Amino acid sequence: GASLSTEGAVLPNSPEWTAGGFVEYRFAVFGGAQGFARLDALYSDEQATRMITATQDGFFVDGYATADLRLGLRSGSLGTVTLFVNNLSDERAELGRGMVPGPPPGSVAP
C-alpha cells in the first residue's frame, strides 16, 4: 500500500527544538511576608506546516520566544497577591501559514 510518510521527512507542526524554563527570586518583606519575582520563558523553533519530502516542498513558520513576568506577595494570614504580565514582548507567533482548510489529502468526503 501507499505510505503517507517518508523516512527522514520533516513532520508538520513539529518544531525540531523547544525549550522552557523559569527563574524565581524570593525575598523577605515586612511582617513575615515573602515577596517573589518570577520570569518564565518558552522557545519554539521554526516548523513546517505540511510534510516535506524529496518531491514536495512546504511552508515554514518562524520560531518564536515568549516571556511572562509575575510579581507577588505571600502571607500566611492574607494568602497570595500576584501581579502578572503574560507575553512581555508582545510576540505574535505565526501558527498556520500555508495550511489548507478542509479534509486531509486522501480522505473520503462524507
Side-chain angles (χ1 to χ4, degrees):
S3 174
L4 294 177
S5 66
T6 302
E7 185 174 336
V10 175
L11 294 177
N13 305 312
S14 299
E16 185 174 358
W17 293 98
T18 59
F22 73 92
V23 294
E24 183 171 293
Y25 176 68
R26 297 177 187 177
F27 50 94
V29 189
F30 58 90
Q34 183 181 57
F36 64 91
R38 177 179 170 133
L39 181 68
D40 293 270
L42 171 68
Y43 169 76
S44 181
D45 200 9
E46 71 175 5
Q47 53 192 298
T49 59
R50 66 180 184 195
M51 179 99 45
I52 304 215
T53 65
T55 59
Q56 181 179 354
D57 199 3
F59 296 101
F60 279 85
V61 294
D62 293 334
Y64 61 92
T66 60
D68 303 330
L69 177 66
R70 300 189 187 294
L71 303 172
L73 183 66
R74 289 186 184 106
S75 170
S77 60
L78 299 175
T80 302
V81 176
T82 305
L83 171 69
F84 58 91
V85 178
N86 289 331
N87 196 6
L88 281 170
S89 64
D90 196 28
E91 175 73 26
R92 304 294 174 134
E94 184 178 36
L95 302 175
R97 181 169 53 106
M99 296 182 75
V100 179
S107 66
V108 178

